[in-house]
Amino acid sequence: MKPFANLLVLVLLVAPLLYLAISCASAADLKTIVKDANVQRKLLGRHMLSLQWLHFGKNQYGSASVTRTDNQLLLAGEQVSKEGDPGYLKINGRITEVNSSGFKFHGKIVYSVKSIKDGKECVRDGDYTFLAKGARKYWRMQEMESSCSEVTDYVDLYF
């Protein structure tokens, strides 16, 4: 019985230290890595936001904001169709890295478009990369293949 008691004491002593180490590592992982300060400056503030299914031919943009809290950049926004067809795009999460060509985002992107899956909500949750290529004046999400249907989604955040 003594070896079990020693093991129990060891677990009780080590567990709080292990928890503290994991908590500190997790907090550090949440910090936005900034590799390009100019792109970070361009990101901070309000932007136009669009999903092509809601924007195409209608020039209807949504809006999004990038804000700084502690060591993180947060991105939140939405686009709501003003036409007769109901539809929306919502984005919410954190920017994990800023580099010379764009940024990496971790969070949730949700949309509903009447003509896609009969308007059923499409939820994408995870890590996404937004890049500005060539002369474009926006960052486009690179994971364009929809997980909800056989369409290609262009989610754009304009500078």
Side-chain angles (χ1 to χ4, degrees):
M1 188 88 167
K2 189 148 177 110
F4 177 73
N6 289 340
L7 180 62
L8 182 61
V9 169
L10 182 63
V11 167
L12 291 174
L13 290 173
V14 172
L17 295 173
L18 186 58
Y19 174 76
L20 182 61
I22 291 170
S23 297
C24 290
S26 296
D29 290 342
L30 296 178
K31 179 181 178 185
T32 299
I33 299 166
V34 178
K35 295 181 176 178
D36 191 311
N38 289 329
V39 175
Q40 177 183 248
R41 278 191 291 279
K42 198 182 278 192
L43 267 169
L44 286 168
R46 293 186 59 82
H47 301 274
M48 292 187 306
L49 173 71
S50 71
L51 172 67
Q52 92 276 18
W53 309 116
L54 302 173
H55 165 72
F56 187 71
K58 302 171 188 167
N59 285 335
Q60 294 179 3
Y61 296 91
S63 67
S65 292
V66 176
T67 56
R68 182 191 340 251
T69 59
D70 296 324
N71 294 321
Q72 294 184 24
L73 296 180
L74 304 177
L75 169 59
E78 72 176 357
Q79 177 186 15
V80 179
S81 177
K82 294 174 180 64
E83 297 290 317
D85 292 339
Y88 59 86
L89 163 69
K90 296 179 184 180
I91 187 169
N92 192 8
R94 63 187 177 85
I95 295 172
T96 58
E97 181 182 305
V98 177
N99 56 55
S100 60
S101 57
F103 62 94
K104 294 181 181 180
F105 170 80
H106 176 82
K108 192 174 279 192
I109 300 169
V110 180
Y111 73 84
S112 172
V113 177
K114 184 180 178 183
S115 60
I116 300 171
K117 282 185 58 180
D118 296 322
K120 291 186 177 112
E121 192 171 77
C122 180
V123 178
R124 299 175 77 174
D125 194 357
D127 295 306
Y128 304 95
T129 302
F130 286 76
L131 299 178
K133 295 181 178 179
R136 292 181 175 162
K137 300 293 182 193
Y138 52 86
W139 296 282
R140 174 164 284 169
M141 185 174 76
Q142 298 303 292
E143 295 77 16
M144 297 177 230
E145 195 172 303
S146 176
S147 57
C148 301
S149 65
E150 295 179 4
V151 299
T152 300
D153 299 326
Y154 298 127
V155 177
D156 297 329
L157 185 71
Y158 295 79
F159 348 135

